[in-house]
Every structure is written in structure tokens, then in C-alpha cells.
Amino acid sequence: MRKQLKRETLYFWGIIALALGLRLVFFHQFGNIFSHEGESYSKINLARGWVYGGMPYPDPNFGPLHTWLIYALYWLFGDWVTPLRLFGVIVGTFSVAFFYGALREELGAKEALFGGLLYAAFPMHLRASPTGLAETPYIFFLTMGLYAFLRLRNREQNQWFNVLVAAVGFTGAGMLRYEAWLFLPVLCLLLLLKRKIAATFVFGLLCAIFPLVHMYETYKLTGDPTNFSKVAATIAHQYMPWVYSDFERLTGWSVNIFNGVGAPAAALLLIGLLYSLSKRQGWIFAAILAAPFAAVHYKSYTNTMDPSLERYSLSFATLLLPYAALSLASVHDWLRSHRPEFMHVLTAAVLVIAGYQTYLGYTQAQVNQLPIDIQNVVKWLRNNATDKDRVLADKQFHPYVVIESGLEHENFVSIEWEAGTDKIQENALERMLTEKTPTIVILDYTFANIPHVNSNLDAFPIPKDEDRAAFHGLEFVKEFQEGNYAVFRAVKPEPIQP
């Protein structure tokens, strides 16, 4: 028994070392980008704007805890990007440990070993960990809450400690991403089924605190306590009916999970789900997943949630991967009983799958790096812009340009568009030119010939091959051009002396 425990401890720390090592490799090899969506920079930019605006309650459309985390790391270390990325590496590694613990608690040691190894090399999580995405701390809190919840449900000792940790975990997750709220009714029901009445009441009460506070703050700001969910739905509805077919809206979540875990792990988890159904083992992960998974499918089918944003499916993949571990553990048990001479084949296969997952995450990260032309625009700004410049960055990759340029928040100006349209707000351009005339204008020609796409070309329609132009009382001189981007110096001409 002692020898087995020692071996299990060795395996656990081996998995944690692997998880940390892989995430450090991704930290070194790639930047703060998960996908071309650029969400990892958008949230940093929002946090900077929040600080610049006097630090009220953060924008209720986004989880406030992420804003506070970003600022806390900046306050401690004086940098917006690198500390946040290293924080992601750390909590991403802890997530693997909590995931291992959850499987050890609910399924057993073999399942925890196989699942921990798969999660250490989970492609989507590997890519997300060394970035500033909210999803990385979200999964940390989610797996922490899941581990404590399963201990609470399965054990009698340390009940109130587990109630508190589970509530902290799921509250933290809900303060980062609102879809975590969908898990709470299911979790309370699962506790009631175990006849833990007092624990259910306390857990539910603790988990209700943040949603009530957040809805109150949203009500104070907008007059509607659920406005944050309606804004996201409205934005999705503006483009989804014209972008996705019914089939794509229904299958988008499954496609993201398939791509996020890799084909071998996806096949294993499907087999594991069937095995779980037949043996009535490990059903609780699917039970926690079922209602939220159905809800997001409904929202995508009604064009109010975009299923193509793969980072949204991280929590679903996390709750499905235990079934891949269950598949491997069942194969392990069968081989040990019937074909022990082939046990080494299973070990090799699991290592190959983990290696493939790592390779898949690496190739996906390469594909999702930002285009080299916008990277070189940022390098030009670093080398040529000064603290006296006012930069009008274009909409695509705007937060990346703002953060990585090294310029302060007040060095950037912007044009304001009518919500949900391609029209500049009335007097917005005139107001910008009067109050903060830009000295550097970045033009993005990526969608120059596509209507209804907002860009600085709406205000300054300078042809791509032109080096000089004049608009709105400004003279433009091209300073840099590469690929789809051009950078112009904008100056007011000197008045002609009589």
C-alpha cells in the first residue's frame, strides 16, 4: 500500500512538472495571442481604460474579476502583459492539479493518472495558459470548485471547508465568465440528491452573492439588471444569421471541442461516455455539463451566442475529458486481466496521444499568431512614435496596437460609430479633429472593398498606392507600409501668410 501511494505521488508530480514545462515552452515560443480575435489584448486595454476612467465598477458586460486581476498584477510588477501571462502559466498548471484531484476523488487513481496526463497536454488549454485570456483563471477556479464540490458530495469529513472552497471556486469562475452561473442550479440539485440539505443551502447562498451584486451594479448603470447578457446577445445577432447555417450553429460547439482536445482524445471521450452510461460510472461530470451545454446550443441556434469562439468551450471540454480517462482506465483493466503482456502498448499509446495533443496545440498556436504586417506596424510605432503623438489606430487588432506600442492610454484617439452600424456618429469625427487631432493615422486595407466594415478608411479614404493625400483640413504623408497596413503622418498645413 505504501509503495503504491509513493508511486502515485511520483506520477502526480511528474504530471505537474510536465504541465508546467509545456506551458513554459508555449510562453517562450508564442506571444499573448490565443486567436485572431485578440481577446487577450482587449481585456488589458479595457483594464487600462478602467484605470484611466477613475476605477469605478468595471464594465458589467465582462467579468469584473479579470479587470481586477489584470490591474493587481500591473500594480505589483509595473507591466501589463508579461506578469499576466506568467500568472496564466501558474494557474494553468494548478488547474491540471485540481483536474487530477477531481478525477481521483470521483473515478479513481488510474483515471486520475490518464486524465491528468491528457489535461497537461490539452491543446486548447496549453494555448490559453500563457496568455491574458480570462479563460485561464476561469478554468483554475472552475476545477478548484469542482474538486471541492466532489469531495463535499462524496465525504462527510471537512464538510464546511469543502462548502467554502467549492463556493469560492464557482464564484471566482462566475466573476470571470458568466456561463459559470449555469452550473449553479445543477450543483445544488446534485447536493440535494445526496440529502446534504444544510450544505446545499449554504453553498447556494454563498454562490448567489456575486450574481446579485453584479445585477445590482448593472441595474445602477443601465436600468436593467440583465443588460450584460442582452448586449452580448445583440452583438451576436447582428452577424450570425448571415454568417452561419442552421447546421453550423448546431454543430459549432462540438467542432470546437473536437478541435480543442484533438481527434484521439475526442474519440476516447465518446467511447468513455458510452462506457459510463453502460456502467453508471462517472455520470456526474455529464450531469453537471448537460444543462449548460443545452443552453448554449439554444443560444447559438437563436443567433444570440457565437459557437465559433473556441475559448468558450474550454469548460465543456474540461468536463468531457474525464470520459477519455475512463476509456483508457477500462482498457488498462481489461489488458491487466486478459493480456498483461500488452500493457506496455497502452502506455506507449497514451504517450503518443499526449505528444500528438502537444503538437496540435503548437500548430494551432502558430496558425493563430497575428499577421506579420500588423506586428511590424507596432514595431514602427515603438521606434518612431513619441509621447507627444496622438495615434488613430484602426479597429482590427486595435487593442494589440495600443498595448504593444508602449504608448500611454491618452496617446490614442478613436472615431466613434453608431452602435451596430457602419456609420460614424454625428459630429464624432469633427469632435475628434477639434479636441484631439491625430498626428499618426493607421489605415487597414484588409476589408477595403467589403461594405459595412468599419475602419479609418470611412473617414480618410486614401487609396492603398497613394503616398500623400488631404482630408478634413489635414495633410497625410505615408511613413510606413507593409501588407494590408499603412501608417501616415497627419499634419495641419501652415496658414498662408498674406
Side-chain angles (χ1 to χ4, degrees):
M1 183 67 179
R2 183 178 298 177
K3 185 178 180 180
Q4 181 182 348
L5 183 60
K6 184 177 180 181
R7 185 167 61 245
E8 186 180 336
T9 302
L10 182 64
Y11 287 152
F12 169 78
W13 286 111
I15 288 170
I16 298 307
L18 176 65
L20 177 60
L22 288 176
R23 280 153 183 76
L24 287 173
V25 169
F26 275 66
F27 174 87
H28 180 264
Q29 291 294 114
F30 303 104
N32 185 40
I33 288 294
F34 179 75
S35 71
H36 290 172
E37 181 196 10
E39 181 75 3
S40 48
Y41 279 104
S42 297
K43 292 299 184 63
I44 300 174
N45 192 39
L46 279 171
R48 288 219 314 183
W50 172 73
V51 173
Y52 187 74
M55 301 170 67
Y57 190 80
D59 186 337
N61 293 314
F62 306 96
L65 181 55
H66 198 215
T67 298
W68 295 327
L69 281 173
I70 292 170
Y71 175 70
L73 290 166
Y74 169 75
W75 181 79
L76 285 170
F77 300 104
D79 182 87
W80 288 104
V81 179
T82 301
L84 183 61
R85 295 184 62 212
L86 285 172
F87 177 78
V89 168
I90 294 168
V91 298
T93 303
F94 271 107
S95 299
V96 177
F98 287 132
F99 183 80
Y100 178 101
L103 268 62
R104 180 69 177 84
E105 179 65 32
E106 187 66 26
L107 299 176
K110 291 189 302 295
E111 290 84 355
L113 170 61
F114 289 126
L117 185 59
L118 291 176
Y119 208 79
F122 174 18
M124 197 190 305
H125 195 254
L126 264 181
R127 291 167 47 212
S129 292
T131 71
L133 282 180
E135 279 68 18
T136 306
Y138 165 65
I139 292 297
F140 164 78
F141 281 109
L142 184 73
T143 51
M144 179 178 73
L146 179 65
Y147 177 42
F149 174 81
L150 293 174
R151 289 175 64 87
L152 168 64
R153 193 172 182 277
N154 295 337
R155 304 187 184 195
E156 293 302 324
Q157 64 270 36
N158 298 321
Q159 176 172 279
W160 298 114
F161 175 77
N162 288 322
V163 165
L164 179 61
V165 176
V168 168
F170 283 103
T171 294
M175 292 176 72
L176 288 156
R177 296 214 53 84
Y178 301 132
E179 61 263 32
W181 298 12
L182 297 173
F183 294 115
L184 301 180
V186 180
L187 296 171
C188 289
L189 178 60
L190 290 171
L191 281 180
L192 281 176
L193 291 175
K194 277 284 190 174
R195 302 185 183 278
K196 293 181 178 279
I197 309 301
T200 302
F201 177 78
V202 175
F203 174 75
L205 189 64
L206 290 173
C207 288
I209 293 172
F210 171 70
L212 292 173
V213 170
H214 186 74
M215 287 191 288
Y216 172 70
E217 292 291 342
T218 304
Y219 174 77
K220 285 200 306 183
L221 189 65
T222 68
D224 181 353
T226 61
N227 184 71
F228 58 93
S229 63
K230 295 175 182 176
V231 168
T234 300
I235 292 172
H237 201 274
Q238 288 173 1
Y239 65 88
M240 282 189 62
W242 295 273
V243 174
Y244 300 112
S245 66
D246 288 349
F247 179 76
E248 288 171 326
R249 292 198 295 272
L250 279 175
T251 60
W253 295 106
S254 299
V255 169
N256 274 335
I257 292 170
F258 178 87
N259 292 332
V261 302
L268 285 170
L269 70 84
L270 285 174
I271 295 169
L273 277 168
L274 294 175
Y275 180 83
S276 172
L277 185 64
S278 66
K279 298 291 185 180
R280 297 183 181 181
Q281 182 182 7
W283 60 270
I284 195 165
F285 298 104
I288 294 171
L289 171 71
F293 202 49
V296 297
H297 273 81
Y298 173 77
K299 286 180 67 65
S300 64
Y301 192 72
T302 54
N303 297 307
T304 54
M305 190 173 188
D306 190 340
S308 72
L309 300 177
E310 58 179 323
R311 56 191 173 82
Y312 288 174
S313 61
L314 260 170
S315 57
F316 300 139
T318 296
L319 288 166
L320 285 170
L321 275 172
Y323 297 102
L326 195 60
S327 288
L328 292 170
S330 64
V331 172
H332 174 275
D333 290 343
W334 187 89
L335 286 175
R336 188 173 60 180
S337 300
H338 298 86
R339 296 285 184 175
E341 67 273 20
F342 291 125
M343 291 286 288
H344 64 281
V345 176
L346 176 62
T347 302
V350 173
L351 292 175
V352 168
I353 292 171
Y356 172 76
Q357 284 185 299
T358 303
Y359 168 77
L360 180 63
Y362 196 91
T363 55
Q364 289 174 345
Q366 286 180 317
V367 169
N368 282 288
Q369 292 302 290
L370 294 187
I372 192 66
D373 50 5
I374 190 62
Q375 292 185 45
N376 287 333
V377 166
V378 168
K379 290 178 182 176
W380 185 92
L381 286 174
R382 284 199 207 115
N383 294 330
N384 296 277
T386 71
D387 57 3
K388 295 182 180 179
D389 279 307
R390 291 177 296 278
V391 181
L392 179 63
D394 224 322
K395 291 180 72 69
Q396 193 183 198
F397 308 128
H398 180 279
Y400 164 73
V401 173
V402 171
I403 300 301
E404 291 291 0
S405 67
L407 297 171
E408 296 298 325
H409 184 274
E410 55 266 29
N411 288 109
F412 287 87
V413 296
S414 60
I415 302 174
E416 298 174 8
W417 274 264
E418 296 287 351
T421 74
D422 59 347
K423 297 180 180 179
I424 297 174
Q425 284 186 11
E426 185 177 359
N427 301 323
L429 180 60
E430 180 183 347
R431 186 166 59 250
M432 181 195 71
L433 293 173
T434 301
E435 296 175 357
K436 283 191 174 183
T437 307
T439 61
I440 295 175
V441 175
I442 301 171
L443 298 180
D444 179 1
Y445 292 93
T446 306
F447 306 107
N449 299 317
I450 301 177
H452 311 304
V453 177
N454 299 342
S455 82
N456 291 340
L457 288 168
D458 296 337
F460 309 109
I462 305 174
K464 191 174 182 178
D465 56 353
E466 290 290 329
D467 293 330
R468 291 177 175 271
F471 289 98
H472 306 293
L474 295 176
E475 292 183 355
F476 295 83
V477 178
K478 186 180 292 179
E479 295 275 325
F480 174 82
Q481 182 166 3
E482 182 174 338
N484 288 315
Y485 286 86
V487 181
F488 287 84
R489 281 281 180 186
V491 297
K492 288 184 177 180
E494 294 291 333
I496 299 175
Q497 298 295 328

